[in-house]
Amino acid sequence: EDVLRMDFDQLGMNNVYYQYSFIFCDANWNPYTNYDFNAYAQGLQYTNVDNWKFSQNTFQKYVHYTFDFPSNNFKFLWAGNYILKVSRNDNADVPSITRRFMVCNQKVSYTATIKPATDVKYRNSKQEIDVLVDNLGYNMPNPYADAKMVITQNNRWDNAISEMKPRFISGNKLDYNFEDINLFNGGSEFRMFDIRTLRAYSQNVARKYFDTVYHCLLNVDESRAALQ
């Protein structure tokens, strides 16, 4: 059984008491309301974050928190989509952090092919992802309704491709080979900057200053939208 680790920092010199819990969701990440916690998980519904340490020899003071899940005292009973919710102990209903993750029970196999877009007008700007799913005899009465395909780019959910139906079905094979709806913008959307030192200007940093914390303002780069 795989274990996930959650790490986060709280700015300041004093530790804050946090707890975490899990929300069971459907394929569209909407929380299920008709399942009791004990149906899909075993253990405590709310767990305190007891592992933290204070920063040392840093300009900005902070407290680092970490925890692993599942653990000896907690495990998931059902596969599916889950949201990890971290909140302060004194305000459990308001999340401080949320993260999506999935518990998998592999019933099918798949192969994915990433290549330049087949459509020539997108050849230099987009990447195409074709997927072939083999359900290995897994009972799927209506693949067009029962199978839900989601493709993410670098674990991003803001531009995830979903709601795709198989283009072809042949025996146990579900073919998601398209030329339009399975495209992601190519290229690098990230910019490099260097803040390893706060005493001097560095690459792609326009200004640094201190009030209650240190601030680094980055240079504004040229837009790449016209290059797509």
Side-chain angles (χ1 to χ4, degrees), residues 134-150:
D134 187 338
N135 66 15
L136 303 175
Y138 179 65
N139 185 27
M140 197 177 294
N142 184 1
Y144 288 103
D146 298 338
K148 297 184 183 298
M149 172 68 67
V150 178

Side-chain angles (χ1 to χ4, degrees), residues 30-223:
N30 297 313
Y32 281 115
T33 57
N34 55 337
Y35 292 118
D36 182 76
F37 171 81
N38 293 320
Y40 57 82
Q42 185 179 75
L44 297 175
Q45 187 169 1
Y46 297 94
T47 304
N48 292 328
V49 181
D50 295 325
N51 189 11
W52 71 77
K53 62 181 180 180
F54 298 99
S55 61
Q56 295 181 350
N57 301 321
T58 59
F59 288 102
Q60 172 61 54
K61 301 299 182 182
Y62 65 90
V63 185
H64 180 73
Y65 299 82
T66 184
F67 59 88
D68 297 335
F69 65 92
S71 64
N72 293 333
N73 299 320
F74 177 90
K75 67 178 181 178
F76 299 100
L77 301 178
W78 290 354
N81 290 352
Y82 289 85
I83 294 177
L84 165 65
K85 183 179 75 170
V86 180
S87 56
R88 296 172 63 112
N89 282 17
D90 57 358
N91 198 358
D93 295 331
V94 179
S96 299
I97 305 171
T98 59
R99 288 292 183 270
R100 295 177 177 182
F101 68 97
M102 286 152 283
V103 176
C104 299
N105 182 9
Q106 187 170 350
K107 298 293 186 180
V108 303
S109 66
Y110 68 91
T111 56
T113 304
I114 303 173
K115 62 183 182 180
T118 302
D119 193 327
V120 293
K121 66 175 176 288
Y122 299 128
R123 182 66 57 84
N124 295 322
S125 61
K126 295 182 183 293
Q127 296 173 332
E128 179 180 321
I129 299 90
D130 297 324
V131 182
L132 181 65
V133 176
D134 187 338
N135 66 15
L136 303 175
Y138 179 65
N139 185 27
M140 197 177 294
N142 184 1
Y144 288 103
D146 298 338
K148 297 184 183 298
M149 172 68 67
V150 178
I151 305 175
T152 63
Q153 183 184 39
N154 298 328
N155 294 319
R156 290 174 54 186
W157 288 97
D158 60 315
N159 64 343
I161 298 173
S162 59
E163 305 301 329
M164 288 196 304
K165 304 299 181 183
R167 187 175 184 180
F168 303 108
I169 297 178
S170 177
N172 292 333
K173 302 291 195 303
L174 282 62
D175 194 333
Y176 296 83
N177 187 340
F178 297 95
E179 298 178 2
D180 49 2
I181 61 175
N182 56 338
L183 302 178
F184 286 107
N185 288 331
S188 175
E189 67 272 32
F190 302 103
R191 306 292 196 273
M192 186 275 177
F193 62 91
D194 183 357
I195 55 172
R196 287 175 295 179
T197 176
L198 298 172
R199 296 185 176 89
Y201 289 101
S202 48
Q203 185 177 357
N204 286 334
V205 177
R207 186 161 67 96
K208 302 174 184 178
Y209 68 92
F210 176 83
D211 46 28
T212 56
V213 296
Y214 280 92
H215 298 264
C216 294
L217 303 182
L218 304 183
N219 289 324
V220 178
D221 204 351
E222 295 182 2
S223 173

